[in-house]
Amino acid sequence: MDVKQMIRLVIKVIGFIYWFVFLYLGGRMVVDWAGFMSQYNIETPLFLTYLVFVGCFVTPYIMLYWKKLNPNGKAPFWVCYLSEYMARLEDRHSIWFDVLYVLKLLLYFIIILWMLCIILLTLAVIAWTVVLILLSN
């Protein structure tokens, strides 16, 4: 196994762990919303809901179909269909191509924002754990 494959494997394992955490949190939120919010004392439930539900849908796509992680992976039907549809609209110089292109850029922005939020939350959890360990001694 070469280095690139090893890096891809590590990223996929971390992604799957995150995905299971998102699925667990999403299940807890659906089953007992008020109890979940009061147990963790979360002041921004809308932000947390955004993170959890986007995480449940975006993380599997990144892990399973992103070309950088899976060079031989086949994209889902809706991704292939949307790409072909966009190519047809571009050939016809349709205004809908511009609208869909802007929506695609917004989607990329949301995904990048989501990834940054996950990284920041992970760093905050690590820092908080270190602080708690240091304070307990």
Side-chain angles (χ1 to χ4, degrees), residues 43-59:
E43 297 178 7
T44 56
L46 189 62
F47 178 70
L48 180 71
T49 306
Y50 165 78
L51 282 178
V52 168
F53 287 115
V54 171
C56 288
F57 296 112
V58 174
T59 303

Side-chain angles (χ1 to χ4, degrees), residues 56-74:
C56 288
F57 296 112
V58 174
T59 303
Y61 178 79
I62 290 172
M63 291 182 311
L64 299 174
Y65 305 113
W66 193 31
K67 282 291 186 192
K68 299 273 187 201
L69 285 179
N70 299 295
N72 299 325
K74 184 180 178 198

Side-chain angles (χ1 to χ4, degrees), residues 97-107:
F97 172 76
D98 297 330
V99 171
L100 290 174
Y101 193 77
V102 169
L103 290 175
K104 180 180 172 183
L105 291 177
L106 285 173
L107 179 65

Side-chain angles (χ1 to χ4, degrees), residues 1 10 14-15 28 34 41 43 54 59 63-64 73 79 89 92 96 103 109 112-114 117 122 127-128 136:
M1 190 182 287
V10 168
I14 292 170
R28 293 279 313 271
N41 195 17
E43 297 178 7
V54 171
T59 303
M63 291 182 311
L64 299 174
V79 173
L89 287 178
R92 287 188 278 170
W96 290 110
L103 290 175
F109 175 73
I112 290 170
L113 181 66
W114 172 79
C117 290
T122 303
W128 185 247
S136 67

